[in-house]
Short mmCIF file of all heavy atoms in Angstrom, two decimals:
data_model
loop_
_atom_site.label_atom_id
_atom_site.label_comp_id
_atom_site.label_asym_id
_atom_site.label_seq_id
_atom_site.Cartn_x
_atom_site.Cartn_y
_atom_site.Cartn_z
N LYS A 8 110.17 -47.15 20.61
CA LYS A 8 111.41 -47.40 21.36
C LYS A 8 111.30 -47.52 22.81
O LYS A 8 112.24 -47.68 23.51
CB LYS A 8 112.42 -46.18 21.00
CG LYS A 8 112.93 -46.20 19.66
CD LYS A 8 114.11 -45.09 19.54
CE LYS A 8 114.46 -45.05 18.11
NZ LYS A 8 115.08 -43.77 17.75
N GLY A 9 109.98 -47.36 23.21
CA GLY A 9 109.76 -47.59 24.69
C GLY A 9 110.19 -46.35 25.60
O GLY A 9 110.34 -46.39 26.75
N ILE A 29 78.59 -41.36 36.00
CA ILE A 29 78.84 -42.72 35.39
C ILE A 29 77.63 -43.61 35.89
O ILE A 29 77.04 -44.33 35.06
CB ILE A 29 80.08 -43.30 35.92
CG1 ILE A 29 81.34 -42.57 35.40
CG2 ILE A 29 80.20 -44.80 35.61
CD1 ILE A 29 81.56 -42.73 33.90
N GLN A 42 67.50 -46.16 24.28
CA GLN A 42 68.40 -46.79 23.32
C GLN A 42 67.95 -46.38 21.76
O GLN A 42 68.60 -46.80 20.85
CB GLN A 42 68.37 -48.28 23.42
CG GLN A 42 68.91 -48.69 24.83
CD GLN A 42 68.50 -50.07 25.22
OE1 GLN A 42 67.85 -50.82 24.49
NE2 GLN A 42 68.92 -50.48 26.41
N TRP A 60 70.21 -24.53 34.28
CA TRP A 60 71.69 -24.30 34.53
C TRP A 60 71.96 -22.88 34.33
O TRP A 60 72.61 -22.11 35.08
CB TRP A 60 72.50 -25.15 33.72
CG TRP A 60 73.99 -25.05 34.03
CD1 TRP A 60 74.74 -25.37 35.07
CD2 TRP A 60 74.98 -24.34 33.10
NE1 TRP A 60 76.03 -25.03 34.96
CE2 TRP A 60 76.22 -24.38 33.74
CE3 TRP A 60 74.88 -23.78 31.85
CZ2 TRP A 60 77.35 -23.94 33.15
CZ3 TRP A 60 75.97 -23.23 31.24
CH2 TRP A 60 77.17 -23.24 32.00
N GLU A 83 81.23 -29.68 17.41
CA GLU A 83 80.09 -29.83 16.37
C GLU A 83 79.35 -28.55 16.27
O GLU A 83 79.05 -28.03 15.16
CB GLU A 83 79.18 -31.03 16.72
CG GLU A 83 78.23 -31.46 15.67
CD GLU A 83 76.74 -31.01 16.05
OE1 GLU A 83 76.34 -29.90 16.13
OE2 GLU A 83 76.02 -31.99 16.21
N CYS A 101 88.13 -14.59 13.38
CA CYS A 101 88.65 -15.69 14.20
C CYS A 101 89.78 -15.23 15.05
O CYS A 101 90.66 -14.70 14.49
CB CYS A 101 89.03 -16.85 13.35
SG CYS A 101 87.77 -17.59 12.19
N GLU A 110 88.70 -21.56 12.14
CA GLU A 110 89.27 -21.16 10.86
C GLU A 110 89.05 -22.34 9.89
O GLU A 110 88.67 -22.12 8.79
CB GLU A 110 90.75 -20.89 10.85
CG GLU A 110 91.04 -19.54 11.55
CD GLU A 110 92.35 -18.89 11.14
OE1 GLU A 110 92.97 -19.42 10.24
OE2 GLU A 110 92.71 -17.85 11.67
N ASN A 131 96.54 -8.25 26.49
CA ASN A 131 95.99 -9.29 27.39
C ASN A 131 95.29 -10.40 26.66
O ASN A 131 94.20 -10.90 27.09
CB ASN A 131 95.05 -8.66 28.44
CG ASN A 131 95.73 -7.70 29.31
OD1 ASN A 131 96.85 -7.85 29.76
ND2 ASN A 131 95.11 -6.65 29.61
N LEU A 133 93.43 -10.26 24.14
CA LEU A 133 92.12 -9.87 23.64
C LEU A 133 92.23 -9.30 22.24
O LEU A 133 93.21 -8.56 21.99
CB LEU A 133 91.43 -8.83 24.50
CG LEU A 133 91.16 -9.21 26.02
CD1 LEU A 133 90.86 -7.94 26.77
CD2 LEU A 133 89.99 -10.20 26.02
N ALA A 138 91.27 -2.12 15.64
CA ALA A 138 92.23 -2.19 14.58
C ALA A 138 91.75 -2.96 13.37
O ALA A 138 92.38 -3.02 12.40
CB ALA A 138 93.47 -2.98 15.17
N ALA A 214 79.75 -30.72 28.22
CA ALA A 214 80.14 -31.49 29.40
C ALA A 214 81.57 -31.93 29.34
O ALA A 214 82.07 -32.42 30.34
CB ALA A 214 79.18 -32.65 29.40
N CYS A 249 72.88 -36.65 20.21
CA CYS A 249 73.72 -37.31 21.29
C CYS A 249 72.89 -38.37 21.93
O CYS A 249 71.66 -38.09 22.17
CB CYS A 249 74.08 -36.14 22.22
SG CYS A 249 74.77 -36.68 23.77
N LYS A 259 72.01 -34.87 35.04
CA LYS A 259 72.26 -35.24 36.45
C LYS A 259 73.47 -34.25 36.89
O LYS A 259 73.39 -33.71 38.02
CB LYS A 259 72.79 -36.65 36.54
CG LYS A 259 72.87 -37.14 37.93
CD LYS A 259 71.62 -37.73 38.51
CE LYS A 259 71.85 -38.21 39.87
NZ LYS A 259 70.51 -38.47 40.53
N SER A 266 73.56 -22.83 42.52
CA SER A 266 73.78 -21.43 42.43
C SER A 266 74.96 -21.19 41.58
O SER A 266 75.47 -22.13 40.86
CB SER A 266 74.14 -20.91 43.90
OG SER A 266 75.45 -21.35 44.22
N ASN A 286 102.06 -25.38 40.60
CA ASN A 286 103.31 -26.27 40.61
C ASN A 286 104.02 -26.01 39.27
O ASN A 286 105.27 -25.73 39.40
CB ASN A 286 102.86 -27.68 40.76
CG ASN A 286 103.98 -28.60 41.00
OD1 ASN A 286 104.92 -28.24 41.53
ND2 ASN A 286 103.85 -29.87 40.59
N TYR A 306 95.27 -24.70 30.83
CA TYR A 306 96.37 -24.49 29.96
C TYR A 306 97.48 -23.40 30.59
O TYR A 306 96.92 -22.45 31.16
CB TYR A 306 96.09 -23.96 28.52
CG TYR A 306 95.05 -24.98 27.91
CD1 TYR A 306 93.67 -24.57 27.67
CD2 TYR A 306 95.41 -26.23 27.52
CE1 TYR A 306 92.77 -25.45 26.93
CE2 TYR A 306 94.46 -27.05 26.90
CZ TYR A 306 93.21 -26.74 26.62
OH TYR A 306 92.36 -27.53 26.11
N ILE A 328 110.60 -33.05 22.79
CA ILE A 328 110.18 -34.46 22.52
C ILE A 328 111.31 -35.48 22.81
O ILE A 328 111.24 -36.55 23.38
CB ILE A 328 109.50 -34.66 21.20
CG1 ILE A 328 108.21 -33.89 21.06
CG2 ILE A 328 109.26 -36.22 20.85
CD1 ILE A 328 107.54 -33.95 19.79
N ALA A 351 99.35 -28.39 28.67
CA ALA A 351 98.03 -28.74 29.13
C ALA A 351 98.25 -29.50 30.53
O ALA A 351 99.17 -30.36 30.68
CB ALA A 351 97.23 -29.63 28.19
N ARG A 358 103.88 -36.42 37.49
CA ARG A 358 104.43 -36.47 36.12
C ARG A 358 104.74 -35.07 35.70
O ARG A 358 105.73 -34.89 34.95
CB ARG A 358 103.23 -37.05 35.27
CG ARG A 358 102.88 -38.46 35.36
CD ARG A 358 104.03 -39.36 35.13
NE ARG A 358 104.26 -39.64 33.68
CZ ARG A 358 105.31 -40.22 33.10
NH1 ARG A 358 106.38 -40.34 33.93
NH2 ARG A 358 105.39 -40.43 31.91
N GLU A 364 111.64 -31.61 35.92
CA GLU A 364 112.97 -32.06 36.16
C GLU A 364 113.82 -32.14 34.77
O GLU A 364 114.91 -31.80 34.65
CB GLU A 364 113.08 -33.47 36.86
CG GLU A 364 112.75 -33.37 38.35
CD GLU A 364 113.67 -32.45 39.07
OE1 GLU A 364 114.94 -32.52 38.79
OE2 GLU A 364 113.27 -31.71 39.92
#
Side-chain angles (χ1 to χ4, degrees):
K8 284 188 189 155
I29 293 288
Q42 298 163 1
W60 180 73
E83 191 248 69
C101 300
E110 288 205 5
N131 297 321
L133 298 166
C249 166
K259 189 89 180 168
S266 71
N286 191 26
Y306 302 115
I328 293 176
R358 297 295 279 161
E364 285 302 316

